[in-house]
Every structure is written in C-alpha cells, then in structure tokens.
Amino acid sequence: MHLKAWHGHLAGGFLGLLFGLAPALGAMPPAQPADGPGGVGDRAASVVKRAVGRSGASSFVFYKSGAAPAEGRSVVVFLHGWGAVNPQAYGAWIDHLARQGHLVVFPRFQEPNRTRPADATANAERLLKAALSDLAGDADARPNLAKVALIGHLAGAPIAANIAADARTQDLPVPKLIFAVMPGGIASNPKARGIALDDLAAIAPETLIVTVIGDKDARAADAAARRLLREASAVGADRKLFVRALSDDHGFPALTATLASPAGLDAGYDGSAIKMPPEPPRDPKQVAPGFKWTPDMALTGEQQTLVSQINNARADSLDYLAYWKTFDLAAAAAFSGADATSLKNNARFSDMERWNDGWPVKRLAVETPRPSPTHAPAAAPAGGGAPPARNATAPRRP
C-alpha cells in the first residue's frame, strides 16, 4: 500500500514536470530593495579601499570614488566583533554603506591573541583619531565631523558606547548615532574579563541610541543592550530604541537572527589585499616596549566558534531589512535631529516586507526602553567580547 502510494507520488511529479507544472517549492525571502534604505544603491560606482596608520595599528577606510560633496561625507565608524578583525566579514554591509555615500572607517583595534580587552577602547579611540586626522585634508574622503555614526557589533557595541562617552575628553567628534548590534562582551565587574564600560552618563543628550538584538542566543545580548540604554542616563527615552529581529522559517532559506547574522562576507573587502601604509623609520636607539602575554588575550573555544560563524556568514534579507535599512533610517533621523519616536512611528522602520508567496516576514519588535533604577546590576557577559568561559558567545543549550 505504501509502495503504491509512493509510485503514484513519483508519477505525479514526473507528469507535472512533463507538462510544465513544476511542484510547489518553498517561498523565497524578499530580495534587497533596489534603492532607498537598505537598497542596492549605485552599483556602477567603484569603492575606494585603503588603509591609514601603520602596520599593526591601522584603520581601513572605504568610500565611493570621486570627489566628496561640498559638505563632506558623513562618517560611519564600524567596530568589529572580538576576533573578527578582517573587514571582509562585514564587507557586504560596508559596501552598502560606501555606496550610500558614507565614509566608512574600520579601526582594527585588536590584534588577536595580543590585545587585552581592557585596552580595546583606548586602541579604537587612538586609531579613530589618527584616521580622521589623516583624512582631514583629503578632498575625496573629506569627513564631515558633524555627521558621525558608530556601528558596533558584539564587543564593538560597548566600545562604540565608550567612544561616545569619551568623545569630548579624547577630542573626538561627538557621534549623532550609536547603533549597537547584538551587543556583548561587557565585563561584569572591574576585575572580570571583557570590555569595561566607561561612564556612559557622559554620552551627549542629543545622541540617538538604537540597540538591535536577535531572538536566537538572545539572553545575554538582551541584558547587554538594556544595560547600554540604561547607563546612557543623560540621553532621554525619546532618543532610545530597543529593537529585536525575529527569525522566520516560513520559506527557504529560513531567516535566523543569530549573533553572527549581521555579518556578511564580501571577499572584495579582504584586509590582507589592501596595501598598508609604509612603516615610519625607527630610531635604532629606541628600545621597543616589551610584550607580556596574558590569558585574556586568547580567544576561547566558544569565541573561536562565533568568529568562524561571522567569517562565513552571507548577507540575506535580515541584513537588508533588519540591520542595513534600520541603520539607514536611524542615521537619517540622527543627522537631521529627529528623535527615536519618529522612527518608532515610521511603519517602514519595522517592516520586513514579504516572502514571494505574499506572506509577510515577521516584523521587527520595536520598543522604547522603560525607565530603570539608576543603579546598574551586574550584566551577564554577552557574546563576541572577551567574556568568561560560559556566556552568550555560546549559550547553554536545552
């Protein structure tokens, strides 16, 4: 009986193909928009890819070729996850940002297995200051320091918050936007492994802060995102948003909002293929500082797994609509002085469009964070920073 049914199914599929009636396939996710927020942009343009600084202390810089606008290019500082130091892992997003007209600065604030988490913020600030100084006189790059946004992924998120908090004391431009994606790696106390938060109450009140997490491996990222929003106490609730991307398996390939999902490989942005600036001449009398290795410089096995996932991630509808589009809309709002309420009330901000069978993709969950007590409970360390052995980099499985 079962064999007969199987033969009937096979015959039906063959006849369907024979008469041009292909069997139904799973719905396909929405494609990248042709233009606008999250869109393809100017595909005919070429992107300048260069490095500034020196070998071992450099930033990668990307922007659309040609002269900059009269007002200069808005600056997007892209702060990578712990261990994900090659810009090609985020190349798809960087390419999108450059084609949208931004000047993208990617500070390589970490040398894997040689950089302590405690030094990461200072490294990033020093590299960013040097990069902006090097680019100030470049007519093509021409950074507009009145329009600066920070994107941080995983450990890059608390570093972005620290840069914003330290901007005035470190003589850096005050960012208009902090866009913290899957924040993690925050030290739970001053002696714990991870990125220690500076006094986030020093973040300028006019800053727009958007945190974005996914619904997979989300527990620690949720706590880290809410901690960043809570400790930026000078910024009002009307300038903060908490966003959650939801996984959706209605069709194929499924959309899965993991810690690594904001990455998107583009080998055209391989840092090893970008020519580094020449090393400055070294004074033979100058003694190089000694190097002392410490255990927190090494990636744990869990972190190595996450870095591997980041390095192999491919851009999909989550990138186009949950991360790129939301950043584009948030940056436009921040640079124009609009608040987060305008974003929350914009139906396009949370819309994820439709599968090709017409079924809507699960919308982003967007909320204004509730006021919290001023004291900050110890936050659970989250993935991608330099956390203790058990954390959101590889959460407990049921």
Side-chain angles (χ1 to χ4, degrees):
M1 193 71 177
H2 291 293
L3 184 62
K4 183 177 179 181
W6 183 85
H7 277 296
H9 178 76
L10 183 62
F14 175 76
L15 290 173
L17 290 174
L18 183 64
F19 291 101
L21 302 174
L25 300 175
M28 296 179 63
Q32 184 178 8
D35 50 29
V40 173
D42 185 1
R43 279 295 175 198
S46 59
V47 176
V48 175
K49 304 165 186 175
R50 51 186 287 208
V52 296
R54 58 182 176 80
S55 180
S58 60
S59 296
F60 297 102
V61 177
F62 310 97
Y63 53 90
K64 191 161 63 173
S65 61
E71 69 276 12
R73 300 181 191 270
S74 50
V75 179
V76 176
V77 182
F78 203 113
L79 297 150
H80 58 79
W82 197 254
V85 299
N86 192 329
Q88 74 172 0
Y90 303 99
W93 196 352
I94 292 170
D95 185 77
H96 167 77
L97 293 168
R99 293 181 189 280
Q100 293 290 316
H102 301 296
L103 168 66
V104 184
V105 181
F106 187 97
R108 194 176 185 273
F109 59 78
Q110 176 200 11
E111 188 175 351
N113 298 315
R114 290 183 65 88
T115 300
R116 297 173 59 236
D119 299 329
T121 294
N123 289 351
E125 292 173 345
R126 182 174 62 254
L127 290 171
L128 178 57
K129 186 185 296 186
L132 294 176
S133 176
D134 286 351
L135 297 169
D138 188 318
D140 289 343
R142 200 170 187 175
N144 181 347
L145 302 187
K147 292 184 176 181
V148 175
L150 308 177
I151 296 176
H153 179 219
L154 297 169
I159 293 173
N162 285 345
I163 290 174
D166 300 343
R168 291 191 173 95
T169 60
Q170 294 298 317
D171 196 25
L172 286 166
V174 176
K176 300 294 186 187
L177 171 65
I178 301 170
F179 195 79
V181 191
M182 312 295 175
I186 302 174
S188 57
N189 62 68
K191 294 184 178 180
R193 183 179 183 178
I195 307 297
L197 290 181
D198 294 340
D199 181 10
L200 302 192
I203 295 175
E206 64 271 21
T207 309
L208 192 65
I209 307 177
V210 179
T211 63
V212 184
I213 71 167
D215 62 354
K216 300 294 183 183
D217 305 338
R219 188 173 183 178
D222 184 300
R226 295 184 189 278
R227 180 177 176 185
L228 294 179
L229 292 166
R230 180 177 64 247
E231 294 195 17
S233 56
V235 180
D238 63 334
R239 303 197 67 79
K240 297 175 179 175
L241 280 183
F242 178 90
V243 179
R244 188 188 303 271
L246 303 178
S247 302
D248 193 334
D249 61 359
H250 172 74
F252 180 85
L255 303 176
T256 310
T258 65
L259 295 175
S261 60
L265 177 68
D266 186 334
Y269 287 81
D270 183 2
S272 65
I274 299 173
K275 185 178 180 181
M276 302 300 299
E279 284 284 356
R282 178 175 294 178
D283 184 350
K285 296 179 181 179
Q286 186 177 8
V287 178
F291 171 75
K292 183 179 180 180
W293 186 85
T294 59
D296 59 353
M297 294 177 177
L299 295 177
T300 66
E302 296 167 340
Q303 290 168 336
Q304 289 174 338
T305 298
L306 181 54
V307 170
S308 177
Q309 293 169 350
I310 292 170
N311 288 335
N312 288 286
R314 298 297 190 273
D316 63 11
S317 300
L318 278 174
D319 295 279
Y320 313 144
L321 302 173
Y323 311 134
W324 304 1
K325 183 196 69 179
T326 51
F327 171 81
D328 292 349
L329 290 170
F335 294 158
S336 68
D339 61 17
T341 305
S342 66
L343 287 175
K344 187 178 180 181
N345 293 339
N346 182 352
R348 192 177 183 188
F349 186 76
S350 59
D351 182 42
M352 289 290 293
E353 300 191 7
R354 294 175 179 269
W355 298 87
N356 73 340
D357 64 356
W359 190 263
V361 178
K362 291 180 181 177
R363 298 176 67 90
L364 303 177
V366 182
E367 64 180 80
T368 300
R370 296 177 181 177
S372 303
T374 54
H375 70 279
R390 174 61 65 180
N391 54 74
T393 302
R396 286 185 172 90
R397 302 293 182 188

